[in-house]
């Protein structure tokens, strides 16, 4: 329950397609704006994480009884992990290579799963020490990868995805503007067509 709340860390920047043209020349001066975006995203996601932890707290107390760790200590570590994931998510938006971003996201999910497991099975202290090691490994691994100053294309694509999710939700209640259809390659499915001969007599199967 907690791993998705900690690891899923999109940063809402409210960027638009036109921003590539009009804001590219002043991207070095937009630090304050993006810091506000970071705080906005952390506030919303931190609130959901808090609610998730509060929901699980009775079960945690019931299972461990007097051995349960302090509520605020565990919450503090979970929020610190959320901040680390948000910072990593921002850096991923700057990566120039898509495969590098995929590796970083996979690493964050695995690391969050391990750290939350250590926190609940051992203690927050051991989880904190493990977190320092994993953060250091991440910094070392992605220190020299190619980065943009600001990954405009990635940020704009993420905003379009978020807008599409909101439209899909509100479409249950009211009519909403339609976004362009998102086209994504389906590798495993398209690979099946290679087994079918590309001939006229196989057109129906293909």
């Amino acid at each position: 329950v907690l791993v998705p709340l900690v690891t899923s860390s999109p940063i809402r920047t409210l960027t638009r397609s036109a921003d590539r043209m009009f804001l590219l020349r002043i991207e070095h001066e937009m630090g304050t704006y993006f810091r506000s975006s970071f705080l906005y995203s952390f506030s919303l996601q931190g609130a959901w994480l808090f609610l998730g932890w509060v929901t699980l707290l009775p079960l945690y107390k019931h299972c461990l009884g007097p051995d349960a760790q302090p509520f605020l200590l565990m919450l503090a570590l979970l929020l610190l992990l959320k901040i680390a994931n948000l910072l990593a998510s921002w850096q991923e938006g700057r990566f120039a290579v898509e495969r590098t971003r995929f590796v970083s996201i996979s690493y964050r999910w695995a690391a969050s799963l391990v750290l939350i497991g250590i926190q609940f099975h051992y203690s927050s202290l051991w989880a904190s020490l493990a977190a320092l090691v994993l953060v250091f490994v991440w910094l070392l691994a992605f220190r020299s990868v190619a980065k943009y100053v600001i990954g405009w294309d990635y940020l704009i694509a993420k905003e379009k995805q978020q807008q599409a999710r909101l439209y899909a939700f509100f479409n249950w209640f009211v009519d909403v503007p339609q976004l362009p259809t998102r086209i994504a390659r389906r590798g495993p499915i398209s690979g099946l067509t290679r087994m079918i001969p590309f001939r006229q007599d196989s057109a129906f199967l293909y």
Side-chain angles (χ1 to χ4, degrees), residues 147-163:
K147 298 186 186 75
Y148 301 115
V149 176
I150 295 173
W152 289 105
D153 291 339
Y154 179 78
L155 295 179
I156 292 168
K158 284 296 179 184
E159 283 301 313
K160 287 182 178 178
Q161 288 179 18
Q162 179 65 20
Q163 191 175 14

Side-chain angles (χ1 to χ4, degrees), residues 24-196:
L24 188 63
R25 55 187 290 273
I26 59 167
E27 63 182 8
H28 294 278
E29 305 172 17
M30 295 188 65
T32 302
Y33 176 82
F34 287 119
R35 279 193 292 273
S36 299
S37 299
F38 183 92
L39 292 174
Y40 170 77
S41 302
F42 173 71
S43 300
L44 289 180
Q45 296 173 33
W48 282 111
L49 178 58
F50 173 79
L51 290 175
W53 174 220
V54 168
T55 303
L56 293 175
L57 185 63
L59 180 62
Y60 173 69
K61 293 279 190 182
H62 175 75
C63 291
L64 273 78
D67 296 328
Q69 302 174 68
F71 165 78
L72 290 178
L73 179 63
M74 298 190 73
L75 176 63
L77 180 57
L78 290 172
L79 290 175
L80 287 174
L81 292 178
K82 166 55 72 175
I83 291 174
N85 273 280
L86 280 166
L87 290 171
S89 176
W90 172 254
Q91 294 302 320
E92 288 161 2
R94 299 176 58 211
F95 289 166
V97 181
E98 181 71 27
R99 185 175 298 177
T100 309
R101 186 179 299 121
F102 174 77
V103 172
S104 176
I105 293 172
S106 302
Y107 178 87
R108 287 197 294 111
W109 277 88
S112 297
L113 180 62
V114 169
L115 292 173
I116 292 176
I118 292 174
Q119 182 183 25
F120 277 85
H121 284 89
Y122 298 98
S123 70
S124 296
L125 175 61
W126 285 109
S128 301
L129 295 174
L132 291 176
V133 173
L134 292 173
V135 167
F136 178 75
V137 170
W138 187 93
L139 291 172
L140 201 63
F142 298 98
R143 178 184 56 179
S144 57
V145 300
K147 298 186 186 75
Y148 301 115
V149 176
I150 295 173
W152 289 105
D153 291 339
Y154 179 78
L155 295 179
I156 292 168
K158 284 296 179 184
E159 283 301 313
K160 287 182 178 178
Q161 288 179 18
Q162 179 65 20
Q163 191 175 14
R165 282 193 288 266
L166 290 173
Y167 279 1
F169 172 75
F170 289 121
N171 196 43
W172 286 79
F173 312 104
V174 295
D175 289 331
V176 297
Q178 294 298 315
L179 291 177
T181 303
R182 179 172 176 262
I183 301 173
R185 183 175 181 271
R186 300 290 188 262
I189 297 177
S190 61
L192 293 175
T193 59
R194 298 192 187 98
M195 303 168 59
I196 304 172

